[in-house]
């Protein structure tokens, strides 16, 4: 017997209807959580291009696009950000596109690597000057997600960093010779 049926039967035995029984029984039903995606699949390519501009492909390691940074950002913004944070993030994407059209008369995705870097550098300078502790600057959010997503991806952890899946003993005095940092 289901809990709901047992409660209805108990209510009937105790004198028909219990005041507030329907409210009590409706509390047993958990409505499915409906959350509309704020960052869509259409935004993933745009986010990949932004991430690739922040962490580009080099001879030493692949860039952020190879780590599928756009899909990572989509997941984090949609599943983990508050509504206010997500709105700041989305409005920032719109600002990037608007400024690209205003300054270069082209969509951000159509810009050369140099123009993309120039445009994002302007937003980086704005973010450094932003002093509000309550509202983060959207570009700070973009940079943080790019770095976090890249260095926790398989590509970032194994190709950009030195990866040691089972570290050896601790040796506190090893001379640094300029090699990449370790991750384990």
């Amino acid at each position: 017997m289901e809990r709901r049926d047992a409660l209805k039967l108990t209510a009937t035995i105790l004198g028909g209807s219990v005041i507030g029984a329907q409210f009590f029984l409706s509390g047993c039903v958990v409505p499915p959580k409906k959350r509309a995606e704020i960052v869509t699949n259409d935004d993933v390519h745009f986010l990949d291009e932004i991430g690739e501009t922040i962490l580009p492909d080099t001879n030493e390691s692949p860039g952020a696009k190879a780590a599928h940074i756009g899909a990572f950002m989509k997941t984090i913004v949609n599943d983990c950000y508050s509504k206010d944070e997500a709105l700041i993030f989305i409005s920032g994407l719109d600002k990037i596109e608007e400024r690209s059209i205003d300054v270069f008369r082209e969509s951000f995705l159509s810009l050369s690597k140099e123009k993309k870097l120039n445009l994002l550098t302007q937003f980086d300078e704005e973010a450094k000057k932003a002093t509000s502790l309550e509202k983060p600057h959207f570009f700070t959010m973009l940079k943080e997600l790019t770095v976090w997503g890249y260095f926790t991806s398989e590509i970032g952890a194994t190709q950009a960093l030195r990866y040691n899946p089972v570290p050896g003993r601790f040796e506190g005095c090893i001379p640094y010779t300029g090699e990449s940092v370790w991750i384990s």
Side-chain angles (χ1 to χ4, degrees):
M1 177 180 278
E2 295 287 325
R3 180 177 179 204
R4 181 184 314 268
D5 295 331
L7 290 171
K8 285 181 183 176
L9 180 62
T10 303
T12 303
I13 292 172
L14 291 175
S17 66
V18 176
I19 298 173
Q22 192 59 34
F23 176 74
F24 178 67
L25 292 174
S26 68
C28 296
V29 177
V30 178
K33 185 176 180 182
K34 294 182 180 178
R35 178 183 170 137
E37 287 184 339
I38 296 175
V39 177
T40 66
N41 288 332
D42 295 336
D43 297 323
V44 170
H45 181 65
F46 188 72
L47 292 169
D48 277 339
E49 289 298 320
I50 292 170
E52 187 72 15
T53 305
I54 294 170
L55 287 174
D57 187 30
T58 65
N59 293 335
E60 291 82 32
S61 63
K65 192 186 298 186
H68 305 288
I69 202 65
F72 173 80
M73 286 191 222
K74 175 185 177 238
T75 300
I76 296 299
V77 172
N78 288 345
D79 295 348
C80 302
Y81 276 18
S82 70
K83 184 177 180 181
D84 291 338
E85 291 169 333
L87 290 174
I88 291 169
F89 187 86
I90 291 297
S91 70
L93 298 181
D94 294 339
K95 287 177 187 175
I96 290 172
E97 185 64 20
E98 289 168 7
R99 189 166 303 168
S100 175
I101 291 170
D102 288 346
V103 174
F104 299 109
R105 305 283 186 249
E106 292 181 72
S107 169
F108 180 81
L109 295 175
S110 302
L111 297 177
S112 66
K113 288 181 181 182
E114 294 78 23
K115 288 180 180 178
K116 287 178 184 175
L117 180 60
N118 182 329
L119 185 67
L120 294 185
T121 301
Q122 293 173 20
F123 285 112
D124 191 31
E125 293 300 320
E126 287 177 19
K128 289 176 184 175
K129 292 176 185 173
T131 58
S132 173
L133 297 176
E134 292 113 28
K135 284 178 53 176
H137 192 277
F138 77 90
F139 195 74
T140 302
M141 298 165 87
L142 271 166
K143 279 179 37 178
E144 288 173 351
L145 286 176
T146 301
V147 171
W148 175 26
Y150 181 74
F151 287 108
T152 57
S153 72
E154 182 177 355
I155 287 174
T158 60
Q159 295 181 37
L161 300 172
R162 292 184 299 167
Y163 179 69
N164 187 0
V166 182
R169 68 180 192 270
F170 175 75
E171 294 181 40
C173 287
I174 298 175
Y176 177 67
T177 58
E179 66 271 2
S180 299
V181 295
W182 285 93
I183 185 169
S184 47

